[in-house]
Amino acid sequence: MDTNQFQTDRLISNAGISELNEMQQTAIGSFPSSSGIILSSPTGSGKTLAFLLMMLKVMPARQKNTYCVVITPTRELALQITDVFQRLKTGLKITACYGGHKREIEENNLIEPPAVVVGTPGRLGDHIKRGNIKTESVRMVILDEFDKSLEMGFLEEMQFIFAALPEIQYKLLISATPVNNIPGFVGMADPKVLNFTHATEPALGIHKVSCDAVEKELRLFQLLCTIGNRKTIVFANQKDTVAKLSSFLKENGITTVSYHGSMEQKDREVSISKFRNGSIPFLITTDLASRGLDVSNIRFIIHYDFPDTEQVYIHRNGRTARMEASGEAIIFTTGKLLPDYLGEEIPEFRIDTNATVPDKTEWGTLFFSAGKKDKINKMDIAGFLMQKAGLKREDTGLIEIKDFYSFAAVRRSKMNYIIGLGKEQKIKNKKLKIAAAK
């Protein structure tokens, strides 16, 4: 199957997968026979790749102006979509626009119109008002996790964006849960609905931890000691609880990373990088991390505070048991009745109260004070670590390149040597600050 001047087989190979799953095949095959499609599929099932391949079926390979606008509720999801698109190696330009990112940088990126603009509703609307995004060439709009955008109060911004796109031919609405109501401003009279939310049963085990409210923190500590250094997300409903739990666990010898909306963007990126590359296996977060967080091999989801709705519960659990992997959701109860949608009696998780604090992982995270805007790429960092620092391939882990800085996972035993070496070294003739990521 060929996309419009793009070879689908090559795109799939570039994405790092051998074949499309059933949902992806069906979605791509259904487009563009219908100009309006609603796609619902569980988190982790590959929706991002699906809608990007759908887009590339109709986008000219030599697109010179902005063809598609992707609207997403969070910066993390915008960056994930950007990353997946870039891995396809289409030769087309994509630009991400979101709050917390310098508008001047985005304006410069928009001077030469990208084929795809992805961003949060507020920032996209702002660029359209300023004339930075040329809307007359846009033929396709994709609303990713659009229900979350509505929950977050972006209705007016999305209405404005749709009204500012006069030549739309294709509309895609993407969600991880079934869609009951379509906002009127979308203008979908008779869309094709593709619902894969119940296509497969996730390999998700569910247990509970019963305790009194006064002992919740202690029970969480004991639980983390029991499960050891396996990637775990602990969800709390308030950022103050995130800070309190992080402090309590640190005082008792367990290092965690935090993630919530009041953190600076750089601090959030440091936290996710350490969690993603395995330097720190425990992430304490609000529901900000329940969508758009692209981290593989998450084994446990802990509902320290139970979510308000079934939809939030589904999205939290969607961080684990992705695709063919298995995972475990653990619910903290403090005498409250659990909602009916949890079904049958949930078994108790057996906590080993004698378990000790898990050792630190073998990985640490280095910070490099240069990134994409300095023309630094992953091969430059890897080359420095292996050629100049003398590391073997197995001593290096995940490398992530941001706009103005980068992160690299290395064996913890090599950290001090590399930091000391970096003070006298350059990458691409640029002297860098190399330090432990904080």
Side-chain angles (χ1 to χ4, degrees):
M1 179 180 66
D2 291 341
T3 56
N4 185 23
Q5 301 186 54
F6 292 101
Q7 296 292 327
T8 300
D9 289 344
R10 180 176 298 176
L11 296 175
I12 293 170
S13 176
N14 291 342
I17 61 175
S18 58
E19 61 181 358
L20 299 174
N21 62 33
E22 179 186 358
M23 177 275 292
Q24 293 167 331
Q25 292 177 10
T26 302
I28 296 166
S30 300
F31 185 79
S33 59
S34 176
S35 60
I37 289 181
I38 298 175
L39 173 61
S40 302
S41 188
T43 300
S45 59
K47 295 189 298 297
T48 299
L49 179 60
F51 71 67
L52 289 177
L53 291 177
M54 293 162 77
M55 175 187 71
L56 291 170
K57 285 188 71 172
V58 294
M59 181 186 293
R62 290 182 173 85
Q63 180 66 27
K64 297 185 181 300
N65 296 299
T66 301
Y67 185 91
C68 180
V69 171
V70 184
I71 307 172
T72 182
T74 67
R75 71 182 76 179
E76 289 74 23
L77 200 50
L79 291 171
Q80 176 187 324
I81 294 166
T82 302
D83 179 65
V84 174
F85 183 83
Q86 290 173 336
R87 279 190 269 140
L88 297 178
K89 299 178 181 179
T90 63
L92 297 174
K93 180 182 176 183
I94 185 171
T95 291
C97 304
Y98 49 88
H101 194 216
K102 288 186 178 180
R103 193 178 64 228
E104 294 80 3
I105 295 174
E106 296 173 355
E107 288 175 341
N108 289 333
N109 290 338
L110 291 167
I111 291 175
E112 180 181 340
V116 183
V117 178
V118 54
T120 50
R123 184 55 66 92
L124 288 175
D126 183 53
H127 281 302
I128 290 174
K129 291 175 183 177
R130 295 172 182 271
N132 299 327
I133 297 175
K134 309 304 180 184
T135 59
E136 61 273 7
S137 63
V138 177
R139 297 292 182 268
M140 185 172 186
V141 62
I142 300 172
L143 277 172
D144 192 19
E145 302 286 13
F146 77 95
D147 51 331
K148 183 65 174 179
S149 293
L150 292 174
E151 290 174 11
M152 295 174 67
F154 290 129
L155 175 61
E156 292 185 5
E157 288 88 345
M158 290 193 294
Q159 287 176 323
F160 170 78
I161 293 170
F162 267 77
L165 302 175
E167 303 295 333
I168 294 298
Q169 297 175 357
Y170 308 106
K171 302 172 184 176
L172 300 181
L173 271 65
I174 313 296
S175 177
T177 52
V179 176
N180 298 317
N181 298 305
I182 306 171
F185 68 83
V186 177
M188 279 188 172
D190 188 24
K192 186 175 185 66
V193 178
L194 304 175
N195 185 0
F196 287 84
T197 56
H198 302 296
T200 58
E201 289 295 328
L204 179 69
I206 301 176
H207 287 81
K208 67 180 179 180
V209 171
S210 303
C211 62
D212 295 330
V214 294
E215 61 177 357
K216 275 184 77 176
E217 290 181 354
L218 174 60
R219 296 295 273 172
L220 176 62
F221 167 76
Q222 293 171 336
L223 173 59
L224 296 185
C225 290
T226 299
I227 63 181
N229 281 333
R230 287 184 281 182
K231 280 186 182 175
T232 300
I233 300 181
V234 180
F235 280 103
N237 290 342
Q238 303 294 331
K239 60 186 179 183
D240 290 343
T241 307
V242 171
K244 185 179 179 183
L245 288 178
S246 299
S247 177
F248 174 81
L249 292 170
K250 182 178 180 180
E251 290 173 359
N252 286 276
I254 295 181
T255 302
T256 66
V257 287
S258 301
Y259 188 73
H260 56 74
S262 295
M263 295 171 63
E264 295 292 331
Q265 180 188 349
K266 181 180 176 182
D267 294 333
R268 288 160 66 173
E269 289 178 341
V270 171
S271 288
I272 294 303
S273 180
K274 289 182 176 181
F275 183 60
R276 183 181 285 122
N277 67 30
S279 295
I280 297 178
F282 303 124
L283 174 66
I284 315 295
T285 182
T286 61
D287 284 317
L288 179 65
S290 65
R291 304 195 190 207
L293 186 63
D294 186 18
V295 179
S296 60
N297 301 319
I298 296 173
R299 184 64 180 83
F300 290 97
I301 298 297
I302 298 175
H303 301 273
Y304 184 82
D305 292 329
F306 201 78
D308 294 329
T309 68
E310 180 180 7
Q311 190 175 57
V312 173
Y313 174 73
I314 291 171
H315 280 290
R316 285 182 177 184
N317 289 344
R319 299 301 99 200
T320 188
R322 296 164 72 88
M323 303 299 284
E324 302 300 324
S326 61
E328 189 85 16
I330 301 175
I331 302 164
F332 271 67
T333 66
T334 54
K336 296 180 180 179
L337 290 176
L338 294 176
D340 293 337
Y341 60 75
L342 288 178
E344 300 177 0
E345 180 67 22
I346 300 173
E348 191 78 17
F349 188 91
R350 293 185 178 181
I351 292 179
D352 180 1
T353 57
N354 295 316
T356 58
V357 173
D359 293 332
K360 289 184 177 180
T361 71
E362 60 183 333
W363 296 101
T365 302
L366 288 174
F367 167 86
F368 294 79
S369 62
K372 295 176 184 176
K373 299 300 181 181
D374 304 294
K375 309 301 182 183
I376 299 293
N377 58 40
K378 292 182 180 181
M379 293 305 297
D380 297 322
I381 301 293
F384 169 81
L385 292 173
M386 288 187 279
Q387 296 170 18
K388 294 187 178 181
L391 269 64
K392 298 178 181 179
R393 185 174 297 275
E394 57 266 28
D395 292 328
T396 63
L398 184 66
I399 298 173
E400 295 187 69
I401 311 295
K402 306 300 180 182
D403 280 347
F404 296 105
Y405 44 85
S406 305
F407 304 110
V410 300
R411 298 283 181 188
R412 193 176 297 276
S413 60
K414 308 287 185 180
M415 289 277 290
N416 290 337
Y417 169 72
I418 298 170
I419 292 170
L421 183 66
K423 294 177 181 178
E424 301 175 358
Q425 298 293 331
K426 295 181 179 180
I427 299 179
K428 281 191 173 177
N429 294 318
K430 181 179 179 63
K431 192 170 183 179
L432 304 183
K433 176 186 176 183
I434 303 176
K438 297 181 180 180

